[in-house]
């Protein structure tokens, strides 16, 4: 126990940290450590207050808070190595690592903007920016005339979402929730699988026309059919968005709400609120899109060199590696939601993303190639088209079997 005088001195020192030296002589030896700790706490609280104010808070949330942002420095490093060394393999790998967190952050900012725009405009934003990374990489590849890279990368995105992500999500969710049967909204899943079948039909016709040698004008009929089918698919996807957001929004309600179940208290506590302001989201949307565009240019330029230096086929890079760039964060989130017994969100991420790419991104690239004068068509070659057709059939039947 300390004497009363020393207690009074201690309290005065805590209130006035920079007190006179005469007063400090009476302080207990351990009081200096207490003062240092109080100064550290004050500095921490000052930093937190500064972070909570204006742009600093926005920078912290978008660029620092998420753990995946540790990969952000690889982007500038890839650009630096491109000009200093010319090692295409290393530039390609670093560009991939640099784009991966940018794709995840772009999806996050789009979701934040949807809080302010409402469900209709938010759905349109998700449709546009949900696969913005794939679209940007595809446009740069189209400008370089790498049409097969565009076709194979988009095909790889569809297959990875439908087979790898959905399979891993169902497997992980089944293990994590082995004591009960997981359920999902069958009606919404069937609408997505039906759209996938329609997209496969649009992609199959040009390939069948090419390989049966039934074209009236060789090459021209196939291109005309591809462009016509792309326009029809874009109109159909726009109709699907209207159906989802305006006409029948209740069809996409979670199963618990449809069955009249009571929400868990944890879910009510976890109601999402926007973390950044509307103008900040618009600014970050522009910044992230611009940065992804810059890195995509270096990524596409390094594909052929990376294929030669790494002894890796361009087809493997296009079908396997490039889809990982834009979908890695979505893959992880789909598996996490399945483990939390939220299969509706899992299917929305996996099947919904495949629907976006097949019904929106692929026809969009055909139209953009048309405007650029590039012969981008829907002829994905026989093997790729058959693989896509069988994969969509398997997923569609699997979703229909579910009760």
């Amino acid at each position: 126990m300390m004497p009363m005088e020393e207690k009074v001195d201690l309290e005065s020192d805590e209130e006035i940290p920079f007190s006179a030296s005469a007063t400090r002589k009476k302080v207990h030896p351990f009081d200096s450590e207490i003062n240092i700790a109080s100064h550290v706490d004050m500095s921490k609280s000052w930093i937190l207050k500064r972070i909570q104010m204006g742009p600093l808070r926005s920078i912290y949330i978008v660029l620092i808070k998420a753990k995946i942002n540790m990969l952000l420095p690889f982007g500038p490093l890839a650009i630096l190595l491109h000009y200093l060394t010319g090692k295409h393999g290393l530039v390609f790998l670093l560009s991939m690592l640099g784009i991966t967190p940018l794709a995840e952050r772009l999806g996050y900012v789009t979701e934040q903007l949807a809080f302010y725009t409402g469900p209709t405009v938010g759905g349109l934003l998700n449709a546009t920016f949900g696969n913005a990374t794939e679209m940007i990489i595809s446009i740069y590849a189209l400008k370089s005339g790498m049409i097969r890279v565009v076709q194979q990368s988009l095909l790889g995105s569809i297959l990875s979402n439908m087979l790898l992500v959905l399979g891993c999500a169902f497997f992980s969710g089944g293990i994590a929730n082995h004591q009960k049967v997981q359920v999902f909204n069958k009606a919404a899943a069937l609408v997505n699988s039906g759209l996938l079948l329609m997209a496969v039909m649009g992609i199959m016709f040009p390939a069948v026309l090419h390989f049966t040698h039934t074209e009236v004008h060789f090459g021209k009929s196939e291109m005309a059919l591809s462009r016509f089918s792309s326009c029809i698919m874009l109109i159909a996807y726009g109709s699907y968005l209207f159906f989802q957001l305006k006409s029948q929004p209740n069809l996409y309600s979670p199963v618990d709400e449809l069955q009249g179940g009571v929400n868990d208290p944890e879910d009510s506590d976890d109601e999402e609120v926007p973390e950044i302001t509307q103008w900040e989201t618009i600014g970050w949307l522009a910044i992230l899109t611009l940065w992804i565009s810059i890195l995509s240019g270096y990524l596409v330029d390094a594909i052929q060199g990376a294929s030669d230096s790494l002894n890796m086929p361009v087809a493997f890079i296009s079908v396997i590696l490039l889809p990982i760039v834009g979908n890695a964060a979505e893959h992880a989130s789909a598996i996490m939601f399945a483990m939390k017994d939220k299969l509706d969100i899992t299917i929305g991420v996996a099947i919904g993303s495949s629907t976006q790419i097949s019904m929106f991104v692929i026809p969009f690239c055909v139209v953009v190639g048309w405007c650029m004068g590039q012969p981008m068509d829907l002829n994905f070659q026989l093997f790729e088209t058959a693989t896509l057709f069988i994969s969509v059939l398997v997923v569609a039947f699997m979703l229909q079997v579910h009760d």
Side-chain angles (χ1 to χ4, degrees):
M1 296 293 292
M2 291 187 296
M4 184 61 68
E5 292 181 6
E6 292 182 358
K7 289 184 180 179
V8 172
D9 291 338
L10 177 60
E11 292 175 359
S12 64
D13 283 343
E14 288 179 348
E15 293 177 0
I16 308 173
F18 300 99
S19 56
S21 59
T23 311
R24 285 192 195 128
K25 292 180 182 178
K26 299 180 183 180
V27 177
H28 195 274
F30 291 107
D31 290 346
S32 59
E33 297 180 3
I34 297 174
N35 285 332
I36 293 173
S38 65
H39 287 312
V40 172
D41 293 337
M42 288 175 61
S43 62
K44 285 182 179 179
S45 63
W46 182 83
I47 292 173
L48 290 175
K49 287 180 181 178
R50 295 292 297 175
I51 287 176
Q52 291 173 358
M53 294 172 59
L56 287 178
R57 179 177 180 274
S58 176
I59 293 172
Y60 170 76
I61 290 173
V62 177
L63 297 182
I64 300 175
K65 186 177 180 181
K67 294 180 180 179
I68 197 172
N69 289 331
M70 291 189 294
L71 300 177
L72 285 175
F74 288 111
L77 186 60
I79 298 175
L80 191 64
L81 290 178
H82 173 80
Y83 291 106
L84 294 181
T85 63
K87 294 182 179 179
H88 296 289
L90 193 56
V91 172
F92 175 78
L93 294 176
L94 292 177
S95 299
M96 279 183 54
L97 292 174
I99 290 177
T100 301
L102 293 175
E104 190 274 337
R105 291 287 87 187
L106 187 65
Y108 167 78
V109 171
T110 306
E111 292 175 359
Q112 292 295 305
L113 186 57
F115 283 111
Y116 300 100
T117 58
T120 304
V121 180
L124 292 173
L125 287 171
N126 283 323
T128 305
F129 290 97
N131 291 289
T133 306
E134 288 90 339
M135 286 195 292
I136 293 171
I137 293 175
S138 299
I139 289 171
Y140 271 95
L142 277 176
K143 287 178 64 177
S144 303
M146 305 172 73
I147 295 172
R148 286 296 292 159
V149 171
V150 176
Q151 292 176 334
Q152 290 172 342
S153 64
L154 295 177
L155 177 72
S157 294
I158 297 173
L159 294 178
S160 65
N161 278 306
M162 282 197 306
L163 301 179
L164 177 64
V165 178
L166 198 62
C168 291
F170 282 167
F171 181 75
S172 304
I175 292 177
N177 302 276
H178 63 278
Q179 295 180 349
K180 60 181 178 180
V181 177
Q182 291 186 288
V183 294
F184 59 86
N185 188 347
K186 186 177 178 180
L190 289 180
V191 170
N192 279 318
S193 60
L195 280 172
L196 283 173
L197 286 171
M198 179 182 175
V200 170
M201 183 178 65
I203 293 171
M204 279 183 64
F205 284 155
V208 171
L209 184 65
H210 176 80
F211 287 102
T212 54
H213 305 287
T214 55
E215 294 179 87
V216 177
H217 304 286
F218 184 77
K220 294 183 179 179
S221 301
E222 175 190 336
M223 187 65 64
L225 180 60
S226 296
R227 290 168 177 171
F228 177 76
S229 299
S230 298
C231 294
I232 296 298
M233 290 161 69
L234 288 173
I235 294 172
Y237 188 70
S239 303
Y240 160 69
L241 288 179
F242 178 79
F243 172 79
Q244 180 183 9
L245 301 172
K246 277 290 187 182
S247 176
Q248 298 291 332
N250 294 329
L251 183 65
Y252 292 85
S253 300
V255 172
D256 293 338
E257 294 181 10
L258 294 175
Q259 294 176 350
V262 180
N263 293 330
D264 295 334
E266 296 180 358
D267 294 337
S268 60
D269 294 339
D270 294 338
E271 285 189 14
E272 295 185 3
V273 292
E275 295 183 325
I276 51 180
T277 65
Q278 182 176 3
W279 289 107
E280 287 173 348
T281 58
I282 295 173
W284 281 116
L285 208 61
I287 292 171
L288 292 172
T289 304
L290 178 63
W291 187 227
I292 289 174
S293 302
I294 294 171
L295 278 183
S296 297
Y298 292 96
L299 180 72
V300 171
D301 291 340
I303 287 177
Q304 189 60 52
S307 174
D308 298 334
S309 61
L310 299 175
N311 294 321
M312 193 179 295
V314 176
F316 179 83
I317 292 176
S318 303
V319 177
I320 304 299
L321 296 183
L322 287 183
I324 294 176
V325 174
N327 296 322
E330 292 181 355
H331 295 181
S333 63
I335 294 173
M336 288 174 57
F337 282 124
M339 296 179 69
K340 294 178 180 179
D341 196 20
K342 297 181 179 180
L343 282 188
D344 286 313
I345 302 178
T346 296
I347 293 175
V349 170
I351 306 297
S353 182
S354 298
T355 305
Q356 277 186 5
I357 295 171
S358 59
M359 292 292 294
F360 176 70
V361 180
I362 291 178
F364 176 79
C365 289
V366 173
V367 174
V368 170
W370 188 4
C371 298
M372 288 181 178
Q374 295 288 351
M376 172 71 184
D377 57 17
L378 295 178
N379 180 12
F380 279 42
Q381 304 300 320
L382 190 59
F383 177 75
E384 288 91 335
T385 305
T387 303
L388 180 61
F389 177 67
I390 295 171
S391 301
V392 171
L393 280 183
V394 168
V395 173
F397 279 119
M398 184 192 66
L399 295 177
Q400 285 180 354
V401 168
H402 182 274
D403 290 327

